[in-house]
Amino acid sequence: MNDLDAPVPDEGSSRRPSGTSRRPAESVTRQTYQALFDLIASRHLEPGDLIEERKLAERFEVSRTPMRAAISRLLGEGVLQLLPNGLLVVREVDITEYLELLSIRLMLESEAAALAAANIPLAPLDEIERRLQEVVARPSRENEGLYLDDDIHVLILAHCGNQSLSHFIREIHKRIRMRNLTRIPERFLPACHEHLALVAALKARDAEQARQCMVAHLNSARDSFLESVGIKR
C-alpha cells in the first residue's frame, strides 16, 4: 500500500460536469476544474499530454469559458505547463520535486495532527479505528484500507483549527497525486498499524504523540518510496 496518493474519482465521477443547464457559472467553473484535475490525478491525462480546450469542453459538455478558467487555474497551480512553442501540456512531477513535497508535507501535516488532537471529534475516530482493525484482521480488504487512509488525513485537516494550514496541505496533496506511484504491497499492514497508533494518540488528546505518529507514518511511507525506486538511505 502506498498511502501517499489518495484515492481519486475516475472519469465517471459524480463531480464531472454534464451539461450547463441552470447551474450557476461559479459552480460550473468549479466542477470543470475538479473534473479536469481528476483526469490528471488519475492518469487519464499523462505528463506531456496536450491540453486542448475545445475538445475538453466538448468532453465535459461545458462552454469554453469555464474550461478556460479551469485551465488557467491549473496552469497557475503548476499542474499544467506552457511550452516555448505555445502548446499547453500536463506537467511532470519528477522525483526531486516529489521528495521536496513530501518533506514539506511532513513538516506541515505533523503540526496539523498536533493541533487536531484538541478538537477532533471522537465518534469518527472510533469508526475509523474499528474499520482499521477489521482491515488488519482481513488484509484482503486492501482497497478499504486505502480509503481509510484518505479519511484519516481529511479528518485531521478538517479539525486542525487553521484553515490556511489545511489549505496548504491540501495543495501539496494535489501536487503529490500528480506523481505516478506504484502501490507497495509491503506497506499495507505497516501503514494500517501506523494509522491505528495515530488514531489512538488523537483519541487520547495527546498532541505531541499525534505529531510523532504522523512523522513516523510519513517517514515510513517516504522510505518505502525511496526503496521502490532503488534509492537507499
Side-chain angles (χ1 to χ4, degrees):
M1 172 184 182
N2 188 337
D3 54 325
L4 295 174
D5 55 329
V8 295
D10 60 21
E11 288 185 79
S13 168
S14 61
R15 290 182 290 180
R16 170 183 165 181
S18 57
T20 60
S21 177
R22 297 187 180 180
R23 289 184 298 163
E26 182 180 353
S27 175
V28 174
T29 299
R30 183 173 62 253
Q31 291 177 32
T32 303
Y33 162 84
Q34 187 62 58
L36 181 53
F37 178 80
D38 286 347
L39 278 185
I40 296 168
S42 62
R43 311 300 286 192
H44 287 93
L45 285 174
E46 299 272 353
D49 280 356
L50 186 65
I51 298 297
E52 299 180 85
E53 178 187 302
R54 180 183 58 79
K55 288 185 178 180
L56 286 168
E58 291 175 354
R59 178 175 185 167
F60 294 148
E61 300 178 16
V62 298
S63 72
R64 297 180 71 172
T65 298
M67 180 54 66
R68 190 173 296 120
I71 288 173
S72 178
R73 179 176 170 185
L74 289 168
L75 182 62
E77 292 176 349
V79 176
L80 303 179
Q81 178 182 12
L82 186 64
L83 300 180
N85 61 6
L87 294 178
L88 193 63
V89 298
V90 178
R91 192 173 69 83
E92 173 75 55
V93 173
D94 62 23
I95 290 178
T96 298
E97 181 180 357
Y98 179 71
L99 292 174
E100 290 174 350
L101 291 170
L102 293 186
S103 295
I104 298 170
R105 179 184 174 185
L106 187 149
M107 289 185 288
L108 296 183
E109 203 157 355
S110 59
E111 178 65 18
L115 291 171
N119 307 309
I120 201 163
L122 294 179
L125 287 175
D126 287 338
E127 176 63 13
I128 288 173
E129 183 177 51
R130 181 188 65 78
R131 291 166 60 198
L132 275 171
Q133 289 170 342
E134 290 179 353
V135 170
V136 169
R138 296 174 58 190
S140 61
R141 298 168 62 174
E142 180 174 348
N143 285 338
E144 184 176 350
L146 291 171
Y147 283 93
L148 281 170
D149 171 60
D150 195 35
D151 289 348
I152 294 166
H153 291 279
V154 168
L155 189 63
I156 287 171
L157 296 186
H159 296 282
C160 71
N162 187 318
Q163 291 186 3
S164 295
L165 178 62
S166 177
H167 172 75
F168 291 145
I169 295 172
R170 290 178 191 277
E171 290 302 306
I172 291 170
H173 284 187
K174 286 167 57 177
R175 296 275 292 280
I176 284 174
R177 285 166 57 188
M178 291 172 60
R179 177 77 190 174
N180 189 19
L181 299 172
T182 300
R183 290 174 183 166
I184 305 170
E186 295 78 8
R187 272 291 297 156
F188 176 61
L189 284 178
C192 286
H193 288 292
E194 291 159 12
H195 285 130
L196 282 169
L198 176 58
V199 168
L202 292 168
K203 288 178 64 176
R205 305 301 191 196
D206 189 331
E208 187 54 36
Q209 184 62 24
R211 184 196 311 276
Q212 293 306 316
C213 285
M214 182 65 81
V215 168
H217 169 58
L218 295 180
N219 273 334
S220 180
R222 180 201 57 200
D223 291 348
S224 291
F225 166 75
L226 289 173
E227 184 177 345
S228 75
V229 295
I231 300 176
K232 294 184 178 180
R233 292 184 52 77

